[in-house]
Amino acid sequence: MSTAMNNVGRPTRLVAGTGAVAETFTGNKALMLEEPLLFERGSLDRSGVDLPPVPPVPDRLAGLGRDVVIGLPGFSEPEAVRHYTRLSRQNYAIDLGIFPLGSCTMKHNPRLNEKMARLPGFADIHPLQPQSTIQGALELINVLADWLMKLTGMPAVAMSPKAGAHGELCGMLAIRAALDAKNDPRRVVLVPESAHGTNPATAAFCGFTVENIPANARGRVDFDAMMARLGPDVAAVMITNPNTCGLFEPDLKRISDAVHAVGGYVYCDGANFNAIVGRVRPGDLGVDAMHINLHKTFSTPHGGGGPGSGPVVLSAALAPFAPIPFVRKTATGLELVEEDTAGTHAADSFGRMVAFHGQMGMFVRALSYMMSHGADGLRQVAEDAVLNANYILASLKDLYTAPFASSGPCMHEALFSDDFLDGTGLSTLDLAKGLIDEGFHPMTVYFPLVVHGAMLVEPTETESKANLDQLIGAMRHVATQMLADPDAWRTGPHLAPRRRLDETLAARKPVLAYKDSEAA
Amino acid sequence: MSTAMNNVGRPTRLVAGTGAVAETFTGNKALMLEEPLLFERGSLDRSGVDLPPVPPVPDRLAGLGRDVVIGLPGFSEPEAVRHYTRLSRQNYAIDLGIFPLGSCTMKHNPRLNEKMARLPGFADIHPLQPQSTIQGALELINVLADWLMKLTGMPAVAMSPKAGAHGELCGMLAIRAALDAKNDPRRVVLVPESAHGTNPATAAFCGFTVENIPANARGRVDFDAMMARLGPDVAAVMITNPNTCGLFEPDLKRISDAVHAVGGYVYCDGANFNAIVGRVRPGDLGVDAMHINLHKTFSTPHGGGGPGSGPVVLSAALAPFAPIPFVRKTATGLELVEEDTAGTHAADSFGRMVAFHGQMGMFVRALSYMMSHGADGLRQVAEDAVLNANYILASLKDLYTAPFASSGPCMHEALFSDDFLDGTGLSTLDLAKGLIDEGFHPMTVYFPLVVHGAMLVEPTETESKANLDQLIGAMRHVATQMLADPDAWRTGPHLAPRRRLDETLAARKPVLAYKDSEAA
Amino acid sequence: MRYLPLSTADRSAMLATIGAASVDDLFSDVPAEAVLDGPIAGLPNHASEMAVERALVKMAGKNKTASTNPFFVGCGAYKHHVPASVDMVIQRGEFLTAYTPYQPEIAQGTLQVLFEFQTQVARLTGMEVANASMYDGSTAMTEAVFMARRITRKPKCIVSAGVHPHYTSVLNTLTRFTGDVVEAGVPSFTKGAPGDDLAHLIASIDADTSSVVVQNPNLFGHIADLTPLADACHKAGALLIVVVTEIVSLGAIKSPGEMGADIVVGEGQSLGAGLLFGGPYLGLFACREKHVRQAPGRLCGETVDASGKRGFVLTLSTREQHIRREKATSNICTNSGLIALAFSAHLTLLGEKGLRHLAALNHARAVQLADRLGRVPGVTLLNGPFFNEFTLDLGREARPVVRKLAEKGVLGGVSMGRLWPGEKSLTSGMIVAVTETATDEDFDAYEDALDEVMAK
Amino acid sequence: MRYLPLSTADRSAMLATIGAASVDDLFSDVPAEAVLDGPIAGLPNHASEMAVERALVKMAGKNKTASTNPFFVGCGAYKHHVPASVDMVIQRGEFLTAYTPYQPEIAQGTLQVLFEFQTQVARLTGMEVANASMYDGSTAMTEAVFMARRITRKPKCIVSAGVHPHYTSVLNTLTRFTGDVVEAGVPSFTKGAPGDDLAHLIASIDADTSSVVVQNPNLFGHIADLTPLADACHKAGALLIVVVTEIVSLGAIKSPGEMGADIVVGEGQSLGAGLLFGGPYLGLFACREKHVRQAPGRLCGETVDASGKRGFVLTLSTREQHIRREKATSNICTNSGLIALAFSAHLTLLGEKGLRHLAALNHARAVQLADRLGRVPGVTLLNGPFFNEFTLDLGREARPVVRKLAEKGVLGGVSMGRLWPGEKSLTSGMIVAVTETATDEDFDAYEDALDEVMAK
Ligand SMILES: Cc1ncc(COP(=O)(O)O)c(C=O)c1O
Ligand SMILES: Cc1ncc(COP(=O)(O)O)c(C=O)c1O
């Protein structure tokens, strides 16, 4: 028992004059609690699970039993609950406050959806049960598919992609398959500079060659540059709409027509669908494929990194190439088209993308969300999301550099650059860390790449005006103070569970797993 | 929009030299977030609930409609979830760390129990449904009753009391009823000085006269004083065992016999049953009635103040007077004995204590807990609870004054006094506040009243040795520092969401509800 | 044993520190005759989560749940839809697993919630202050009677026959021993105003009367203007105690405070809690500010911290048992904190607009069903004005009808025979509650079933 | 609209600040032909929580759930008991509603969990490092094949016929376009070692081989020693990729790492997730440290903060799409973070002791059932060694048998006809999985039902 030293080996002391305790014995600060690693606290013979005894039968492992120590410490249930509860409190989350990460659409996650996803009828069924026993599940997928098609004005949807990037893959594979079906060898995919990294990565992943198209001064795809590059070698363009600068691409329909005219396809990155849901149907803009991040527009929770779900709506041209499995209506009910019936019902399908049928848990949440909002509510979602973003833009553009504000309103997110900090030696990162101390999650920083020191602020429609006013107030305050007294802002955050973390060190000497020798 | 000043009207500033931001614009400190009152943020026309439209039928309210503003602001769901989540983070809780409140048995609350209590078959049934439709609920009550009787060695149990104090009331009412049935006018109830406040309050509540019995130097009821006072006017004694000093009452059986000999009854406060469950049956000690706090020994969560559940086991002498309703086995199933059949099956019952059948939600949790532990596990519970408390006692008694440590081991809680701080001008309260900064909830302070500046530390069995070591280390550290440098410890806590709160002001000028004029 | 973190090695090490040879040494104070050698017989040993879950799921499966059947049972407990986010809030570990906020600096979450709850309850009931909750409506009513006695120093309480008989029972259980005098009658079964005895109550008030207790809406669902009764009480120096068992009604009908009540008690289960077979429920307790020092239960109040920031604490605790012991205003300690949170969160989600909508919807739906059922041959609707609950006179004993309806899968209401056994004048009564959860299909099923049962 | 906080007044005030006359002005970039005048036709308007819940409960009710029927379906998704506390953990708002930890100072909760998860996965699989999760096992396998190609710069991947055919399908979908060469065969239906093609795999390795992919336990439940295969791979400069679809098996059988695997991918659904009709699941991805810069997906690493305290960050992101774009190791962005948390929490609750117990229990129970079913007339147990899943040869087409069992309420397994349609040699096969959740009564029900179906 080490009673003389605290966790970091320093004696506790009072800060002279202030009366504040700077270091405690435990390292805790009242309700901000430190938590050691599982590997430092757990033990190999502790368990938080009771199980029935193992019946004494001779094993049938053919000598392949695992006879070395694995190294998996356990906790009793009380210790485990506390470990995770304490850790959770070191996180910011949408449940705590506005989470204005541009391009991420961090909106409120309704709890009804969590409840519905846990109904045993959805959560406790196996993907390979006989189809007669999962008709309700197929119905749910089918109803959700119907909503997605109607909301986008598209004739088909592939449900199995597991996230946005996987949806992109689905769309691009459909395009590859469509080209192959025509023996068309074209392989160039045009991607705007401002595109999300998944766009070029996906195109490359399925064998396309990526070429960039620049943005114009208004933050949109440079129409002329696009037209200049279009030609018979262009397999597809990938366009984000609204784009990653938070702006609507007014030329999308014209671009689509031009792409189609040269025999290419239009992939639309639908990550920003929240801005237009219920107000614009991508199908009316000539799109051939678009993924929808259910974990953005349709509010399935982000879970600290995932899971997501990325259904892809498809044009009539691409629909025949959609992946299996999918749900088909028959005279007697619903049928899942898999390998056995693909020959009949999906002869041109490019095949299977995942082992089973996609993100059922996310489907339930998304449908619950859609039914709750309805067609009227979803339209209101887009309107309020856009209104909130423009309110932020209007309230900050006198202080923050707003590169495209002069070109008119933004859509669901407001883009700023850190040009206004020039000369202070401070940048977007310092501003972000300053906001952390104020109790906010910062905006997306340094994306899109087309803007210097980008700050992309996406409030979403689930923020109240009072919350926006508080954020705006804090953003003005921090910016003003940074201009007035730059030195005070180089080292934030100061009040978070950790001070600024050394990311360079982490990458230079990667420590990716706990080594037992590390223990104190 | 007030962007120039923070919440408390002071400009944000850096603490000279330290680089720490002392005040933020928002008043937040990164993840420690301030949250205004509902009445300051909500509005009368906002709602987080959608409802079907009201069918247009003429009302039948006879002009009694509520036509003035009620004053109930609402939140949309996102705002409401955030309001409560942010508030929750200003609480300490057993899920965050050890909560060593003596007499309160703050043990881990298994999540299985929460899940079971929410099964629609238990949560979604009405207390006045026809009995044929709630046989499973009656079965649960009956099985739980069986566990309680076997664990205590008592022949009967009343299930309806809603908490410990209500259980005491049940027991004392049974004693009153038993006396009345004999036309016995005795009214004096003897209560040890160290008893919990509910004991004398309950006795007085049902018309008894309370007299105190002192404690002896070993922290137990003074046996001789008790014997001296016993007589034909004594209706009952109320004894807590293990008592509120955390000590077993070794004379309880002798006292019971003596009380019975003079025609009185023995009420045992069973709040501390956790120390002896599975090791001692109160029925073997001559007890006539004892309440069991399901929210202590049997881990139903305390919920920031309640609800609890306080079933009362009864001796054969008191069983006939038990309250209605209760569950009775019949040839065909289970029957709830209520007013209609009380005449036949409960002629001597003292009546009804609550509108319905007690704390069903707590019953489910408690039974789930008991079945999980089993007879063997419950015995282990008592042993580990006592072991943990003695470990704390042994590890601190050289530094902290331990008034009864010389008399042998304690039971489930270790009692200290602040005598060791004499001369520092510091007391138990300052020590408690110091522990808050260290990330612990303090022990129970200033109870029991028989010890000066009492500190009653009850770890419970669900704390690991590592947790105890950390608590012991922090307690030693704080005590040592208080002795070394008392001035640094007069004003804690410093790191909690609030500094020390002015309780005197609150009582002098009570503000018990929000007045709209309060708004900024 | 999944909940116990100590290992055998831990136990040995700790015993060594203590200086005990075995854990038995720690129990040396237990007299020999009470020592148990091993686990108690007749009880099973520990079981896995799986096994416990399986057993309890089986038990739960034997009950007919309110959501899976057309459901119209009320009389002090109402099936309302509770938003999913309310359950999420009360499952936050920081609320669920906290104790009573004795260390306010690390309990501001609970305390601010209680302050908001008290304010909401005070406003809803039309009173000035409310406490931090009681066990349930029935025990709150008993406490109110005692509080009135302490304030007025008079012995007699007059209870309206329209009060829920279980509530009156609870009061009688205690007054039998405390010496308080209670007068309570048998309700009238009057068409247009069942259970209404306001005139009789007013006539009964005398110089010894400390309080008059009346329920609104009353057991039969009838609602009344209590202003004349309040005036009569005050003229005689008595207090008017109003009981509200369906708190949602206050979104539609005049509050007791507006009608002159001195103490309002209620059952808060309708918001946030769910049915729960009777508990845990939520006792609401509101009164005039001038009487607050005689109130039972915990109170949360506003104050400031050492740096001047607003904060909340439990206050006026010199009324309570832990300070005042046998002189306390009540023996209550643990209350219904978490259910108060659920109530408050539900009401916050509703807001004034939502509560009024909810209440209007309940009322309109009840009117619709009352009229439909009132047209079933042999059935008479007794109520004139009502909120969401009404009484049918079936012209025959109601209890078997309720059972037959249940056999047809309709949980149709509560028979007077169950609540007032032995009262011949009431046996044909059935009380029916209608909330926002009943669908048109439920209405159809009910009407059809009642039709059939009555036709036999 | 309960999720939208803006009031009409708010909207007007905000439009005024913006200087727009109406919200339509904000959509002025939308070309006229794409403007929608009002809500989209053919879809309902907003609905109450009650109404949505009612509709979804009805849909859910049409499915037969695993817990309410004797259940033995496996083949890549297993029904294990998940402790209630795991769900509590993943419902903590701070985990559930956080984004990817891009601001590490306020995401240490998620990051420390990921670091612990990576360590657990590495140890469980016997590897040095693991990433922060992939979508599922099948996509993880595809990524592993591409990673091996990047490392070895060779074109060919040889896939064992014992790999789950859906996994191989997923790989084929992509390689059709990427140009990777995949060789995969049809499994043998050999008694004693169904699907075992180790000898054939070893023989097929050539100088062009970048990787060999093998599943253990394989699709048929068969387990094998992969050491000779690993040696053969390494001799030829190829990498051995091992797929584990039942991760619980690693509590009982030698890990791929111990047998020489270079990359281990797996489906982590068995721990923490539940069945979920196939998703969201959890792709596990582990490899040797020296290869980590070619690995796909996010990695969490340890570092220190400005005051020297340990902390965690996402690291080595120059591999990833948001930095490297078309040159990234993978296009993955959103992964399965929350399911990784569930997995990690479940494994933490188990600990080494619990995991070994769980695995031993699964194995022993599977042995018991295998022997019972193997004695049913007409049924042959194909497996020699296996873990918790085995294959029966029914001597007739298995698919109708599975359906008939389902009609009798027994979800008995997966027919080879579903997984390998058209493969005549396999149609009589049925794969049966047994976990700790199956009771003796379930065994009885299964044996009886199979007996009856086979007797017809
Ligand atoms: C514009 C854009 N495209 C694509 C994606 C990729 O989606 P996912 O993370 O679901 O794979 C994202 C998500 O961050 C995005 O913002
Ligand atoms: C010794 C003792 N007796 C009685 C009680 C009263 O129990 P309850 O709070 O459940 O009414 C308590 C609880 O604090 C207690 O500690």
Side-chain angles (χ1 to χ4, degrees), chain D residues 143-173:
Chain D
E143 296 269 13
V145 170
F146 293 167
M147 173 169 159
R149 182 233 299 148
R150 288 191 297 270
I151 293 169
T152 63
R153 297 171 184 275
K154 299 179 183 186
K156 195 171 83 182
C157 163
I158 305 173
V159 182
S160 161
V163 170
H164 195 302
H166 287 178
Y167 282 48
T168 312
S169 276
V170 174
L171 175 63
N172 284 331
T173 295

Side-chain angles (χ1 to χ4, degrees), chain B residues 105 107 273-279 296-298 369 373-388 412 460-462, chain C residues 1 3-4 6 11 27:
Chain B
T105 314
K107 58 171 70 178
F273 190 49
N274 202 52
I276 57 171
V277 58
R279 287 205 57 119
K296 297 184 177 178
T297 310
F298 298 110
Y369 177 90
H373 283 80
D376 54 340
L378 290 174
R379 189 176 161 94
Q380 191 68 55
V381 161
E383 294 181 2
D384 285 358
V386 169
L387 181 62
N388 276 356
H412 61 299
T460 85
E461 74 284 358
T462 58
Chain C
M1 296 195 189
Y3 305 126
L4 301 178
L6 296 189
R11 291 187 186 109
F27 287 87

Side-chain angles (χ1 to χ4, degrees), chain A residues 103 163-165 168 196 198 240 244 269 271 291 293 295-296, chain D residues 99 333-334:
Chain A
S103 208
E168 295 173 28
H196 192 259
T198 50
T240 308
T244 62
D269 182 328
H291 74 266
N293 303 60
H295 47 302
K296 296 183 177 179
Chain D
Y99 202 74
C333 178
T334 292

